[in-house]
């Protein structure tokens, strides 16, 4: 879940040195995007299966592994595919319309006439409004409207991205309609609208996967590599493979951990946290961050599918030395960097007072059925692995020069 844009096609980046394998990372992406994991939503059988598979991968790499469960409330879950018909036109879910997270549930289809916001009465009607703000919602509830239709854009492939965390459900049904379709609704006032929104809010249990390769000794350097493995989950009749967000980041973290663990200097600490619940409000990292020792350097990868003009980097907490290390790593590897928002797990670690950096290299197909493994570039995975590894190398060099944690 990042603000990094896929951007234009990247120029070839320097590959990670010392045996980094694009095919190994692509195999991890393909595995996590497979049907068996059903989009890896927190608390689902697919999510639990992906955590178990990742735990096995860390054990194979030589880590001491622990799974840590935590409770999460407020997750949005579709019980069936929402429906929307206007007149004789049946609209396609996530192409033409999508549920809003603030919507009241309509478990079975209900009908009402279509009206515009200027209509004298909204009672029993589906009303096309520009935004479902507080004033509009209050009137819709007072008038006992059937529901609200609001405009929404689509991505470059024509999809409406899926979300599973947000404001609590409201008292009125709200559906987003593709902006181009919404523009013609005023001319269709009086037609019958039939809709269902089988969307409920659930509480569930997530599980972080931790792997420790080496514990730091005394005041020596301690590095934590993180990436979230959860996705938004499949719809009842539609796959959401979640290959870019964030199977790609997980693949990079596993590969870098494999390489670093084979050559780690004595007394330097190295651990991995593969996090659940990022799509539900970064709950996994919020659970984990308070458990960490002060001074742990956190590098979070969220999206490494298509490097555009530059990798997005966000630093938080007391991260001056870590940011300097990333900057030096960019120079060493030739990976271009830019300051950019990374609304991901790195912010939870930074809020806990830890030096933390989030890195993103693009998410084509973000949170849609188009987010498939073929959208993930091997060269971008190599660039991300090179950047993370070179950052840790620089931290190790600095630590050795000072004789203590930088």
């Amino acid at each position: 879940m990042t603000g990094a844009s896929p951007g234009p096609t990247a120029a070839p980046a320097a590959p990670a040195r010392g045996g980094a394998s694009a095919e190994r990372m692509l195999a991890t992406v393909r595995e996590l995007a497979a049907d068996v994991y059903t989009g890896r939503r927190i608390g689902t059988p697919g999510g639990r299966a992906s955590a178990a598979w990742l735990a096995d991968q860390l054990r194979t790499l030589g880590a001491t592994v622990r799974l840590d469960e935590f409770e999460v409330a407020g997750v949005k879950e579709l019980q069936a595919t929402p429906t929307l018909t206007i007149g004789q036109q049946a609209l396609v879910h996530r192409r033409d319309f999508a549920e809003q997270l603030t919507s009241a549930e309509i478990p079975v289809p209900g009908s009402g006439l279509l009206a515009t916001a200027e209509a004298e009465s909204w009672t029993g009607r589906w009303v096309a409004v520009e935004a479902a703000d507080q004033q509009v919602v209050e009137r819709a509830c007072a008038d006992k409207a059937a529901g609200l239709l609001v405009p929404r854009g689509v991505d470059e492939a024509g999809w409406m991205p899926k979300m599973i965390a947000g404001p609590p459900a409201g008292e009125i049904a709200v559906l987003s309609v593709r902006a181009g379709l919404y523009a013609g609704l005023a001319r269709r006032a009086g037609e019958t609208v039939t809709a269902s929104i089988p969307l409920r809010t659930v509480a569930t249990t997530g599980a972080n996967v931790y792997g420790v390769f080496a514990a730091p000794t005394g005041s020596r350097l301690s590095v934590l590599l993180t990436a979230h493995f959860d996705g938004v989950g499949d719809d009842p009749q539609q796959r959401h493979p979640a290959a870019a967000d964030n199977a790609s980041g997980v693949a990079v973290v596993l590969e870098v951990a494999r390489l670093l663990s084979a050559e780690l200097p004595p007394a330097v600490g190295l651990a991995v946290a593969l996090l659940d619940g990022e799509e539900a409000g970064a709950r996994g990292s919020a659970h984990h961050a308070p458990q960490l020792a002060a001074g742990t350097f956190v590098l979070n990868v969220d999206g490494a599918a298509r490097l555009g003009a530059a990798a997005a980097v966000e630093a938080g907490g007391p991260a001056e030395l870590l940011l300097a290390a990333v900057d030096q790593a960019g120079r060493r590897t030739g990976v271009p960097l830019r300051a950019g928002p990374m609304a991901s797990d790195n912010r939870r670690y930074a809020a806990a007072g830890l030096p933390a950096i989030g890195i993103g290299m693009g998410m084509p197909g973000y949170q849609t059925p188009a987010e498939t493994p073929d959208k993930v570039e091997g060269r971008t995975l190599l660039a991300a692995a090179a950047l993370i590894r070179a950052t840790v190398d620089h931290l190790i060099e600095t630590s050795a020069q000072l004789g203590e944690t930088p």
Side-chain angles (χ1 to χ4, degrees):
M1 190 172 72
T2 176
S5 169
T9 302
R17 63 175 176 80
S21 167
E23 185 49 46
R24 191 192 315 273
M25 290 185 279
L26 288 168
T28 296
V29 171
R30 290 191 292 268
E31 174 67 28
L32 290 174
D35 292 354
V36 66
Y37 300 117
T38 62
R40 308 191 306 278
R41 202 211 77 191
I42 183 172
T44 62
R48 290 189 289 272
S50 59
W53 184 82
L54 290 168
D56 286 343
Q57 300 310 298
L58 286 171
R59 292 189 188 99
T60 299
L61 294 177
T64 300
V65 177
R66 175 170 67 95
L67 272 70
D68 185 14
E69 293 188 345
F70 56 96
E71 302 302 313
V72 174
V75 178
K76 307 291 184 173
E77 180 178 81
L78 285 173
Q79 301 302 291
T81 302
T83 60
L84 177 60
T85 301
I86 302 176
Q88 299 300 311
Q89 182 182 13
L91 277 60
V92 179
H93 184 230
R94 301 215 186 282
R95 288 288 195 182
D96 298 322
F97 79 101
E99 66 282 354
Q100 282 215 356
L101 298 183
T102 58
S103 178
E105 182 181 11
I106 306 179
V108 296
S111 298
L113 298 180
L114 176 62
T116 65
E118 293 75 25
E120 183 175 341
S121 173
W122 290 5
T123 302
R125 300 189 176 192
W126 280 91
V127 187
V129 296
E130 289 296 328
D133 57 28
Q134 182 177 351
Q135 183 177 359
V136 167
V137 169
E138 287 176 353
R139 179 183 172 185
C141 291
D143 281 10
K144 294 183 170 51
L148 300 173
L149 302 176
V150 299
R152 181 180 176 184
V154 295
D155 70 7
E156 61 183 12
W159 291 101
M160 295 181 181
K162 180 181 179 181
M163 295 178 289
I164 61 170
E171 299 179 18
I172 193 76
V174 185
L175 286 172
S176 298
V177 176
R178 177 168 47 83
L181 184 72
Y182 176 89
L185 291 184
R187 298 189 299 272
R188 303 178 66 176
E191 294 188 30
T192 299
V193 175
T194 302
S196 66
I197 312 174
L199 177 70
R200 68 175 183 176
T201 302
V202 301
T204 190
T205 301
N208 291 334
V209 185
Y210 307 138
V212 177
F213 290 90
T217 300
S219 61
R220 291 302 302 273
L221 174 70
S222 182
V223 174
L224 175 70
L225 306 180
T226 69
H228 77 88
F229 67 86
D230 66 303
V232 294
D234 288 348
D235 286 337
Q237 296 176 296
Q238 187 69 261
R239 289 251 36 231
H240 284 260
D245 182 21
N246 186 35
S248 63
V250 171
V252 169
V253 164
L254 287 176
E255 183 70 352
V256 173
R258 181 184 74 85
L259 297 170
L260 287 173
S261 62
E263 58 184 32
L264 204 65
V268 172
L270 176 66
V272 165
L274 302 176
L275 301 163
D276 204 354
E278 196 269 354
E279 303 295 357
R283 303 297 185 85
S285 50
H287 174 75
H288 184 223
Q291 304 177 30
L292 293 178
T296 301
F297 288 86
V298 181
L299 288 88
N300 182 64
V301 184
D302 197 350
R306 186 188 299 166
L307 178 61
V313 177
E314 177 181 300
E320 292 81 3
L321 292 173
L322 181 54
L323 187 59
V326 173
D327 180 68
Q328 287 299 314
R331 297 173 190 273
R332 289 182 184 183
T333 60
V335 177
L337 308 176
R338 64 173 175 85
M342 284 292 300
S344 186
D345 291 303
N346 45 285
R347 293 186 177 180
R348 295 291 196 177
Y349 292 106
L354 300 167
I357 278 187
I359 296 172
M361 296 188 182
M363 294 180 177
Y366 175 67
Q367 293 185 348
T368 75
E371 195 185 331
T372 50
D374 60 293
K375 303 293 198 309
V376 179
E377 297 179 342
R379 61 179 180 178
T380 296
L381 294 170
L382 286 171
L387 182 68
I388 300 300
R389 188 180 183 194
T391 298
V392 177
D393 284 346
H394 184 79
L395 289 172
I396 292 172
E397 293 165 7
T398 304
S399 176
Q401 291 168 7
L402 297 177
E404 58 184 11
T405 300

